[in-house]
Amino acid sequence: MNRQERRAWLEGFGEPPVTGSAIETAEQELNLGWRGDRPVRLIREDALGEGYAIRVSPEAVTLRGGESGLLYGAWELLKKQALGESVTDIDCQPRYALRMLNCWDNMDGSVERGYAGRSLWFEGSRFSYDPDRIRFLGRLLASCGVNVLCVNNVNVHEPAQGLIDEWLPEVSAFAALLRPFGVRLMLSVDFSQPLRRDLETADPLDERVRAWWRERADRVWEAVPDLAGFLVKADSENRPGPFAYGRDHAEGANMLAEAVAPHGGVLVWRAFVYNCKQDWRDSGTDRPKSAWETYKPLDGHFADNVILQVKYGPFDFQVREPLSPLLLGMPDTRLALEMQLAQEYTGQQIDLFAMPGLFREMLDAAGPERIMAWAAVSNLGRDENWFGHPFAGLNLYAFGRYGWDAGADPERVTAEWAALTYPRLPQNQREILCGLLNRSRSVYERYTATLGLCWMITPNTHYGPSPDGYEYQAWGTYHRASRDAVGIDRTSRGNGYTLQYPPELTRLYDDLATCPDELLLFFHRLPYDYVMRDGRTLIQRIYDDHFDGCAEAERMAETIASLSLPEKDLAEAVERARLQAQNAREWRDVVNSFFYRFSGAEDAHGRPLYI
Ligand code: GCW
């Protein structure tokens, strides 16, 4: 490594937040804040790319890697040190080359579905940030192993259309701040942009439109030569797209892919397409079926640099959904799996909802080799602790971790995060904290979405209960509860949704004897007196889960208050736990009473239900 390279690398590494110790430089050896008994020797080996190799000998620890491989390897060494683990020989490559955070930041400074304050880089319709904070963000992302940051909302509102135009110098300056950390930018673009600015059409097959995008891409990559690519939300929730011109989504995506290809860019196309103007009376249309209907016929039609980004479930980041069948049914398309760190439907960074288990389940269900990129909606914001809830940082850490190791053990990931974040917390308390985090998803699920009953959430805000809030609306999100039964029959005997899965899954979900309890009402319509495998009636199970989930949320609040966390974190976590318990009580009483009123069934344990 020459002097200049080392300076760039050091800038990238910065002061390690894990140890807080300063960096010393030496010609061949660097003290990374590493307190091991041997010096660390760095050797740049570009062939290793983002990966790294660590070798331990009696004289030294040798770390080899490409430019960002050295960075990731250094973080690994520091992590081991912080976790008190000994360093052994390691050869490591990331599981996914693209580990992308999608930020839904608007240029006015608001963040769509953001729960950690305002945007870290936009305010007042322009870029506005503290460069030191952005560098720190780079360190944070590098330490988590994230390498792509899409800076603007997929819903591209003016003036964000200018990010690929008059704002390019600012985009370029912002990219330069994050580059030393191995983080490349991505931009969300509006499919209709040529129409809005220069041409009278955005038809992807029109030669003028194609030339417009090619020329635009040339300018963008001239300003930011390592831009990762463009991200597009088209024909989804009122966003413009190729359907307006009678073109399909392969025609739309390929046109943009052709423009970015000469620059090595990727075109990430979101598969979140459904009819958001459905008539609730129409039970012949079912939203979970729609992505498959749009994209399955296009398998094999996408250009090589198109990545189809699919949300994990067929609905929309609900607490519990089966894996989207699209992720299993597009063998000839490059796929990204999209998660949502922002807890839109999962407690909004007030209620605890740890995601490592969800990540692992979805990666296992998809088969890690079927996808080639790993994406998530960001949970970052301008709050001092970045995440709103001090524990919500776990979800970013875990997202990065699964981008490197799709088979990581969720409890191990949580324990690492807790040890790195709260090194001074006594071991027994750290175990209590991890226990809370490990159970948090199941607790939240029991009081908000038991048996796969999703969408009983307050419309628009998506926090708090409203069992009928989405029932008579146009968004395609219905439970169709009556006095006798609840749920939608999505089996092959019903509306046929399960036929989108491979045959063994169709059978698994079709059959009441094998369908997992947590998805029972996602796949089936069942009467309240249906007897579950454990002997309880369906209605009793609904009541029990709400009472139990809420009781556990209340206990969690007490436990959190007993932890000796740093003062500020404790105060924030305690306040949020109080709000969570309050929220859980609302969910319990509103949903239980809703079903009590329909079914007339008393609770077997005589707990209060309200008329
Ligand atoms: O869940 C929905 C959100 C929208 C979001 C959309 C999407 C960016 O409610 O706010 O829009 O998903 O993923 O595009």
Side-chain angles (χ1 to χ4, degrees), residues 163-467:
L163 291 172
I164 56 169
D165 198 339
E166 66 270 13
W167 291 105
L168 276 173
E170 285 77 7
V171 176
S172 164
F174 192 71
L177 283 175
L178 291 170
R179 187 168 294 122
F181 305 95
V183 177
R184 296 192 293 154
L185 298 193
M186 184 173 276
L187 294 169
S188 297
V189 299
D190 176 345
F191 192 81
S192 69
Q193 189 150 338
L195 172 75
R196 295 210 186 182
R197 295 222 166 182
D198 302 301
L199 304 175
E200 68 278 10
T201 177
D203 180 352
L205 298 193
D206 187 306
E207 191 39 52
R208 290 165 304 163
V209 173
R210 301 177 91 87
W212 190 94
W213 279 108
R214 278 197 301 271
E215 181 268 339
R216 186 62 39 150
D218 292 348
R219 281 176 53 196
V220 170
W221 265 269
E222 194 183 319
V224 189
D226 60 353
L227 190 83
F230 289 159
L231 171 63
V232 190
K233 172 176 179 180
D235 291 316
S236 165
E237 300 186 331
N238 306 315
R239 306 314 300 164
F243 287 163
Y245 305 95
R247 312 299 181 195
D248 68 32
H249 275 211
E251 289 168 321
N254 291 346
M255 178 274 293
L256 288 170
E258 176 190 278
V260 305
H263 310 287
V266 291
L267 194 277
V268 183
W269 187 269
R270 294 176 85 231
F272 182 55
V273 173
Y274 68 98
N275 176 10
C276 67
K277 298 197 174 100
Q278 186 180 332
D279 184 337
W280 57 268
R281 297 167 192 83
D282 163 22
S283 59
T285 304
D286 189 24
R287 174 164 161 185
K289 292 169 85 174
S290 62
W292 175 278
E293 287 162 355
T294 306
Y295 292 101
K296 177 63 185 168
L298 301 179
D299 188 27
H301 295 208
F302 290 99
D304 285 349
N305 61 330
V306 173
I307 298 174
L308 189 66
Q309 184 166 298
V310 186
K311 292 188 182 186
Y312 59 86
F315 262 130
D316 184 10
F317 301 137
Q318 296 301 288
V319 175
R320 179 69 67 171
E321 295 187 55
L323 184 81
S324 166
L326 210 53
L327 290 159
L328 301 173
M330 301 284 285
D332 298 318
T333 303
R334 285 147 51 99
L335 297 169
L337 177 49
E338 181 176 332
M339 310 302 296
Q340 191 186 40
L341 311 183
Q343 292 172 236
E344 175 178 0
Y345 298 98
T346 53
Q348 306 204 344
Q349 283 136 259
I350 299 170
D351 300 30
L352 269 191
F353 192 93
M355 299 188 181
L358 174 67
F359 297 162
R360 174 67 194 271
E361 276 167 35
M362 290 302 162
L363 284 162
D364 281 355
E369 68 295 337
R370 266 206 207 87
I371 62 169
M372 58 80 60
W374 178 232
V377 180
S378 160
N379 59 353
L380 289 160
R382 212 173 268 234
D383 278 5
E384 199 183 331
N385 67 14
W386 307 93
F387 304 104
H389 197 305
F391 304 160
L394 164 64
N395 292 334
L396 176 65
Y397 176 78
F399 170 71
R401 189 73 168 68
Y402 280 95
W404 283 74
D405 177 7
D409 169 34
E411 294 197 2
R412 152 98 203 169
V413 172
T414 303
E416 281 171 16
W417 172 83
L420 294 168
T421 307
Y422 297 118
R424 276 182 278 283
L425 195 62
Q427 181 62 23
N428 63 333
Q429 290 211 15
R430 204 183 289 155
E431 279 161 18
I432 293 172
L433 172 60
C434 289
L436 287 178
L437 292 164
N438 292 335
R439 287 195 308 281
S440 60
R441 187 174 154 225
S442 144
V443 172
Y444 187 82
E445 176 170 13
R446 273 177 281 159
Y447 64 80
T448 62
T450 181
L451 303 172
L453 258 183
C454 41
W455 292 112
M456 291 204 165
I457 203 137
T458 305
N460 308 320
T461 65
H462 298 168
Y463 189 80
S466 181

Side-chain angles (χ1 to χ4, degrees), residues 385-554:
N385 67 14
W386 307 93
F387 304 104
H389 197 305
F391 304 160
L394 164 64
N395 292 334
L396 176 65
Y397 176 78
F399 170 71
R401 189 73 168 68
Y402 280 95
W404 283 74
D405 177 7
D409 169 34
E411 294 197 2
R412 152 98 203 169
V413 172
T414 303
E416 281 171 16
W417 172 83
L420 294 168
T421 307
Y422 297 118
R424 276 182 278 283
L425 195 62
Q427 181 62 23
N428 63 333
Q429 290 211 15
R430 204 183 289 155
E431 279 161 18
I432 293 172
L433 172 60
C434 289
L436 287 178
L437 292 164
N438 292 335
R439 287 195 308 281
S440 60
R441 187 174 154 225
S442 144
V443 172
Y444 187 82
E445 176 170 13
R446 273 177 281 159
Y447 64 80
T448 62
T450 181
L451 303 172
L453 258 183
C454 41
W455 292 112
M456 291 204 165
I457 203 137
T458 305
N460 308 320
T461 65
H462 298 168
Y463 189 80
S466 181
D468 261 352
Y470 272 124
E471 198 55 18
Y472 303 100
Q473 295 210 17
W475 300 92
T477 47
Y478 317 113
H479 51 68
R480 302 199 186 274
S482 72
R483 65 175 194 177
D484 305 312
V486 57
I488 290 174
D489 184 355
R490 298 194 163 98
T491 65
S492 51
R493 298 172 305 275
N495 74 17
Y497 166 72
T498 58
L499 293 167
Q500 295 182 351
Y501 288 94
E504 60 279 15
L505 286 178
T506 310
R507 280 195 296 276
L508 180 97
Y509 294 138
D510 270 2
D511 187 348
L512 280 168
T514 52
C515 181
D517 277 359
E518 63 271 19
L519 289 168
L520 205 57
L521 294 176
F522 186 96
F523 285 110
H524 296 271
R525 178 169 183 82
L526 292 171
Y528 298 113
D529 59 3
Y530 171 76
V531 180
M532 311 268 305
R533 277 187 284 261
D534 66 5
R536 282 183 283 177
T537 58
L538 183 87
I539 188 71
Q540 190 58 44
R541 171 67 189 269
I542 292 175
Y543 293 157
D544 287 349
D545 276 2
H546 285 83
F547 283 115
D548 294 350
C550 178
E552 207 170 330
E554 287 174 334

